[in-house]
């Protein structure tokens, strides 16, 4: 997975952290969790607020 795979990342995060409300998550924690996902292999330095926000929004959509 790459940073641009927002929906795939959101699905993996929802599966890995089913009891977490993505609306309450800090971007620093979100970034750490994305980097820890199995199959994630993108450059950690490529993440930014815009990408993390897109992942968070996709996760919120997934949770609803």
């Amino acid at each position: 997975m790459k940073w641009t795979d927002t929906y795939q990342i959101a699905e993996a995060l929802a599966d890995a952290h089913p009891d977490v409300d993505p609306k309450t998550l800090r971007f620093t924690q979100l970034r750490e969790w994305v980097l820890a996902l199995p199959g994630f292999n993108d450059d950690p330095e490529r993440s930014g607020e815009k990408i993390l926000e897109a992942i968070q929004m996709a996760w919120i959509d997934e949770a609803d």
Side-chain angles (χ1 to χ4, degrees):
M1 278 184 284
K2 304 289 185 195
W3 286 111
T4 54
D5 299 323
T6 54
Y7 287 102
Q8 188 177 358
I9 291 170
E11 289 174 5
L13 289 169
D15 290 343
H17 306 281
D19 298 328
V20 172
D21 180 356
K23 296 174 193 167
T24 64
L25 200 59
R26 295 182 324 269
F27 282 163
T28 53
Q29 184 68 56
L30 178 60
R31 183 179 183 274
E32 289 176 20
W33 285 358
V34 171
L35 293 173
L37 286 173
F40 184 82
N41 60 354
D42 204 350
D43 181 359
E45 299 304 314
R46 292 195 60 223
S47 72
E49 188 173 325
K50 190 172 185 175
I51 290 173
L52 293 170
E53 184 177 9
I55 293 168
Q56 184 182 37
M57 295 307 294
W59 188 359
I60 291 168
D61 288 345
E62 180 73 21
D64 287 343

